[in-house]
Amino acid sequence: MALVAVALAVPAASAAVAAGIATLMTALYRRSVVAIGVGAAWVAATLARFWLRPPGLAPYPVWALVAVLFGVALTGWGMLARARRQLVLSLAERVRRAEEEQRRRVEQARHAERLAIAREMHDVLAHRLSLLALHAGALEFNARADPDEVVEAAAVVRSSAHHALQELRQVISVLREAPVLSELDLGSLVEEVRRAGMEVEMHDGGVRLPELPGATARAAYRIVQEGLTNARKHAPGMPVTVRLDGGPDRGLAIEVRNPVVRAPRGEGAGLAGMRERAELAGGRVEQAGIEEGEFRLAVWLPWPV
């Protein structure tokens, strides 16, 4: 349509305005090669019209220069406006993508936080509820026990429930703040399960969790806790050996062993949670399976200087 308007502008001066508008619209909405071609056709048509019907008041070279300058200005203005519009659209697209990326990062952060909360709640509840089930089962099958023994067992049940509530209240704050390393006491954990009737042999190798980096210390505590819970669940009444060894730059090696009473069916939520926790701390689960009649859990965690 622009070329038709430009061609009509040669015999009919009244079509010159339409040809100029068509040339401008072409420069606004078509690629540069097409815009320049139509602009050159408009200049050629104007020069031909001035040659056939000189407007007067000035010699032909002057009008030819005016036609060339006007054609260049018309085409250049349209191309500049098109480039600016494309830039604005590109910036708007970038903003939209940035907003989508931000929403995606926020959603990923929320998902990660939900997983962390679920992992913490599983570790706390699995340990405490297994102790509650153990003592409740003892009360059920020993109904004729002495009153003092019943009172003692009930006190342990009450204490375990109280500690479970306390730890659940701390889950969210622990996730958002630096962990209180002084509370990560493996000795107290082992004594607690020993009072519940488990036979635990502890070899800490001189490792003190409060001396470790926060992420490593908390991961180590939860891994040992979950290892004891799994042993109590799958090998009740069997002795358990917990061994820690390591140092700065060498890393921390954690091993939990117990005789196999009933083999676990696949990898449960506890082992999956330990793998995730070890990986988040920069470590790995090296073994979680049966070896020479024992279930062996071996985990390595980093211990940077």
Side-chain angles (χ1 to χ4, degrees), residues 114-132 160 163-168 170-171 174-175 184 189 192-193 215-230 232-233 268-281 297 301:
R114 286 194 294 267
L115 289 178
I117 292 173
R119 186 166 49 248
E120 289 286 336
M121 292 182 67
H122 172 271
D123 291 345
V124 172
L125 288 177
H127 174 66
R128 296 296 177 183
L129 291 181
S130 63
L131 290 177
L132 288 173
S160 296
H163 285 304
L165 289 175
Q166 279 187 326
E167 292 189 11
L168 284 177
Q170 294 172 357
V171 165
V174 165
L175 288 173
L184 305 180
L189 176 64
E192 182 180 30
V193 297
T216 301
R218 186 159 190 83
Y221 182 86
R222 291 303 187 193
I223 287 170
V224 172
Q225 184 184 57
E226 183 63 27
L228 293 174
T229 300
N230 286 344
R232 185 164 56 248
K233 182 189 305 182
L271 288 177
M274 277 190 281
R275 291 186 186 278
E276 292 178 4
R277 188 179 295 279
E279 291 172 1
L280 287 174
L297 171 67
L301 297 175

Side-chain angles (χ1 to χ4, degrees), residues 202-243:
M202 182 70 181
H203 303 278
D204 59 16
V207 175
R208 299 293 179 266
L209 294 190
E211 299 174 0
L212 274 67
T216 301
R218 186 159 190 83
Y221 182 86
R222 291 303 187 193
I223 287 170
V224 172
Q225 184 184 57
E226 183 63 27
L228 293 174
T229 300
N230 286 344
R232 185 164 56 248
K233 182 189 305 182
H234 298 290
M238 294 291 103
V240 183
T241 302
V242 179
R243 191 179 303 276

Side-chain angles (χ1 to χ4, degrees), residues 59-212:
Y60 177 78
V62 175
W63 288 108
L65 179 61
V66 170
V68 172
L69 292 178
F70 192 79
V72 171
L74 199 64
T75 304
W77 181 27
M79 293 174 61
L80 180 62
R82 176 174 177 271
R84 183 178 181 278
R85 186 179 68 254
Q86 289 180 336
L87 177 61
V88 171
L89 292 176
S90 175
L91 293 176
E93 179 65 17
R94 289 185 182 180
V95 170
R96 186 187 64 80
R97 291 181 180 178
E99 290 176 351
E100 290 182 355
E101 182 66 23
Q102 178 66 16
R103 285 195 295 269
R104 186 160 48 249
R105 285 197 296 265
V106 170
E107 183 61 29
Q108 290 174 350
R110 289 175 179 172
H111 181 65
E113 185 174 2
R114 286 194 294 267
L115 289 178
I117 292 173
R119 186 166 49 248
E120 289 286 336
M121 292 182 67
H122 172 271
D123 291 345
V124 172
L125 288 177
H127 174 66
R128 296 296 177 183
L129 291 181
S130 63
L131 290 177
L132 288 173
L134 181 65
H135 288 286
L139 288 175
E140 179 182 2
F141 290 103
N142 195 15
R144 297 182 180 179
D146 295 336
D148 292 340
E149 294 179 352
V150 173
V151 170
E152 183 180 356
V156 174
V157 170
R158 181 193 59 80
S159 176
S160 296
H162 176 69
H163 285 304
L165 289 175
Q166 279 187 326
E167 292 189 11
L168 284 177
R169 291 190 188 102
Q170 294 172 357
V171 165
I172 304 301
S173 61
V174 165
L175 288 173
R176 296 183 179 276
E177 300 172 3
V180 181
L181 299 183
S182 60
E183 298 178 358
L184 305 180
D185 187 358
L186 288 179
S188 299
L189 176 64
V190 171
E191 285 301 320
E192 182 180 30
V193 297
R194 282 173 178 169
R195 288 196 299 270
M198 283 188 70
E199 182 183 345
V200 181
E201 183 180 350
M202 182 70 181
H203 303 278
D204 59 16
V207 175
R208 299 293 179 266
L209 294 190
E211 299 174 0
L212 274 67

Side-chain angles (χ1 to χ4, degrees), residues 48-63:
R49 187 176 70 251
F50 287 167
W51 177 262
L52 295 175
R53 291 186 303 278
L57 302 177
Y60 177 78
V62 175
W63 288 108

